[in-house]
Amino acid sequence: MFNNAFDNQPTNDSGTTIRFGPYMSVRQLAGVHRCDRLIMLHDRKRTNHLLYRFGHLTDSVARRRVFDRFLKTAHLDHAHILKVENVGYDDTGRLCVITNYPGNQEGLVTLGDLLEARGGRLEFSEAIRLMGQLLDSCVHASAQGIYHGPFTMDELLVDRHGCTLVELFGLQQALHNQYSVQDARSEQTRSIIEIGYLLATGAPYCDGVSIGEASPASKLTKRNERLWDAWFALALDPVNGFETSKQAIDTMPTDAEQIARLAELKPMAPASSGKPIGKPNGKKATPVRKTGTVFARFRRSNEARRD
């Protein structure tokens, strides 16, 4: 929290002050997620917050589903998930959600804004760091049974410290209810990795184009470049991509230990065989699932590049 920076600015386009409990509007922002978005001032604490005010949902089932989702997301406490502080209905029956305010005096900054300000591409290490933050937020939410579905750059914020924040985690799935839990989980993982690749290279993922070719300034060693190429190819495979964000994090070649482990992976039995995967260092074996096929492909991809 920080002191209000908008005391002397107009409240919104109509000049009408909007109130919700102890909060009053100080500036209207561009709408998002089918709702109005306003910067609010807490009367007593003099701190800034965001108000998301939804239109009237005519579908009573969807209305209840979205409300229940926000009650659950209010319990999410993660450094890279925008904190929901209050949920309720205003005097007109519109659903209202209060969050903390992560922006600056100019307003909110999205991941797309950051990318544009940096000339269309971030440093490779920074892009991987931001991607890892988002994947970690999904791991945290998944542990509480909350899934979002695919992300877009417009719903990912960057705070004043350069960290990413997911705006209204889980809303897409609650609004549209178009994905099964398994699909929502895998699609949100895939979309984050696609965004990570775009941040790192300045271009959408293209199979067969190496990180070194797409991002000459990445400054990766040839070995690490091959590992990242294989990891992105594995992660963005339309059939055999990661099922969960945790799988993606656990196989990211971000340190020497992980790089060594990935380089030593052997071809696995088909996923349908049910045979266990032996892990290095005497760790307990894990039943083969979709990742068995993925890891085998990772090994074969590395060998092909070395040849």
Side-chain angles (χ1 to χ4, degrees), residues 3-275:
N3 292 332
N4 175 51
F6 306 100
D7 281 331
N8 299 319
Q9 299 187 22
T11 59
N12 52 54
D13 293 340
S14 64
T16 303
T17 299
I18 296 173
R19 290 188 172 272
F20 178 68
Y23 306 94
M24 64 177 181
S25 61
V26 292
R27 185 198 291 182
Q28 185 166 0
L29 302 174
V32 67
H33 305 300
R34 301 183 185 176
C35 62
D36 299 331
R37 184 169 55 177
L38 302 98
I39 299 175
M40 308 292 283
L41 174 68
H42 193 288
D43 280 341
R44 296 185 299 276
K45 297 179 180 179
R46 310 303 291 178
T47 50
N48 290 120
H49 305 263
L50 281 176
L51 167 66
Y52 296 87
R53 189 174 62 161
F54 290 79
H56 293 284
L57 296 174
T58 56
D59 185 341
S60 60
V61 175
R63 176 186 173 95
R64 184 66 192 182
R65 185 173 61 242
V66 172
F67 181 76
D68 289 346
R69 177 56 51 87
F70 281 125
L71 291 181
K72 290 184 68 176
T73 55
H75 295 287
L76 293 179
D77 187 11
H78 190 273
H80 303 295
I81 296 177
L82 188 63
K83 180 65 176 174
V84 172
E85 300 176 338
N86 204 334
V87 183
Y89 292 94
D90 65 11
D91 294 339
T92 67
R94 296 176 66 174
L95 177 62
C96 294
V97 178
I98 293 286
T99 72
N100 59 323
Y101 179 69
N104 53 35
Q105 293 189 12
E106 302 300 322
L108 298 176
V109 178
T110 67
L111 201 51
D113 294 331
L114 176 64
L115 189 62
E116 182 179 356
R118 296 288 187 85
R121 184 171 63 198
L122 307 184
E123 291 186 7
F124 186 84
S125 59
E126 183 180 13
I128 297 304
R129 177 179 65 85
L130 297 181
M131 180 178 68
Q133 292 174 356
L134 296 172
L135 289 170
D136 192 58
S137 72
C138 291
V139 172
H140 177 77
S142 295
Q144 302 190 42
I146 301 174
Y147 306 96
H148 186 87
F151 291 98
T152 65
M153 298 271 275
D154 292 337
E155 56 192 328
L156 302 173
L157 304 177
V158 181
D159 68 12
R160 298 179 300 280
H161 308 290
C163 293
T164 54
L165 287 167
V166 178
E167 186 178 34
L168 302 183
F169 198 108
L171 177 61
Q172 290 291 355
Q173 176 69 352
L175 275 177
H176 305 294
N177 197 33
Q178 65 188 72
Y179 295 101
S180 65
V181 168
Q182 182 178 359
D183 287 344
R185 190 171 54 191
S186 61
E187 286 297 320
Q188 67 190 18
T189 301
R190 178 184 176 86
S191 66
I192 289 173
I193 295 171
E194 287 178 334
I195 289 171
Y197 187 90
L198 177 63
L199 294 176
T201 66
Y205 176 73
C206 180
D207 191 18
V209 178
S210 72
I211 292 290
E213 293 171 327
S215 180
S218 61
K219 298 180 181 179
L220 294 174
T221 65
K222 286 296 182 182
R223 185 183 185 215
N224 285 3
E225 181 183 309
R226 288 195 299 266
L227 286 169
W228 276 112
D229 287 341
W231 186 85
F232 276 111
L234 175 156
L236 298 177
D237 186 289
V239 177
N240 292 315
F242 295 121
E243 291 181 345
T244 68
S245 296
K246 187 176 187 309
Q247 290 174 355
I249 291 174
D250 288 347
T251 56
M252 286 172 66
T254 52
D255 58 48
E257 181 180 350
Q258 286 172 306
I259 289 171
R261 178 165 59 87
L262 288 172
E264 292 170 1
L265 286 170
K266 300 296 190 294
M268 305 300 174
S272 59
S273 70
K275 296 179 181 179

Side-chain angles (χ1 to χ4, degrees), residues 275-279 284-289:
K275 296 179 181 179
I277 298 176
K279 290 188 176 180
K284 187 177 179 181
T286 304
V288 171
R289 297 187 64 193

